[in-house]
Amino acid sequence: MIPNTPTLSFRLSDADETVRLGRWFAARLRAGDCLLLEGPIGAGKSHFSRALIQARLGRAEDVPSPTFTLVQTYQ
């Protein structure tokens, strides 16, 4: 964790809640914002990322798992 950085923790009950949270963040993030997703395998990090990215793009897009990607750029 980075000192003096706001931290949020969410416990979501299902995939639909994860998608809703991704869309919520998508509407609020701006250029330069950074999210650190942390959790065990299967926690929903990739599902959250896909929902957020697709909401920002405004269309369905093949979004690979961000687990192994250091930088992924989208138009």
Side-chain angles (χ1 to χ4, degrees):
M1 189 173 349
I2 301 170
N4 302 317
T5 301
T7 302
L8 300 172
S9 179
F10 297 94
R11 185 173 292 282
L12 305 172
S13 64
D14 60 29
D16 290 337
E17 281 190 14
T18 304
V19 169
R20 283 193 295 276
L21 183 63
R23 290 176 180 165
W24 184 89
F25 268 96
R28 289 157 179 81
L29 291 176
R30 299 292 170 248
D33 289 345
C34 181
L35 296 178
L36 168 66
L37 304 179
E38 183 179 49
I41 293 173
K45 301 177 298 291
S46 294
H47 196 67
F48 170 85
S49 298
R50 285 184 185 104
L52 187 153
I53 292 165
Q54 290 176 353
R56 289 286 297 188
L57 292 173
R59 66 178 190 282
E61 175 79 21
D62 181 33
V63 179
S65 171
T67 302
F68 305 106
T69 306
L70 295 178
V71 176
Q72 187 75 35
T73 304
Y74 297 90
Q75 293 291 335

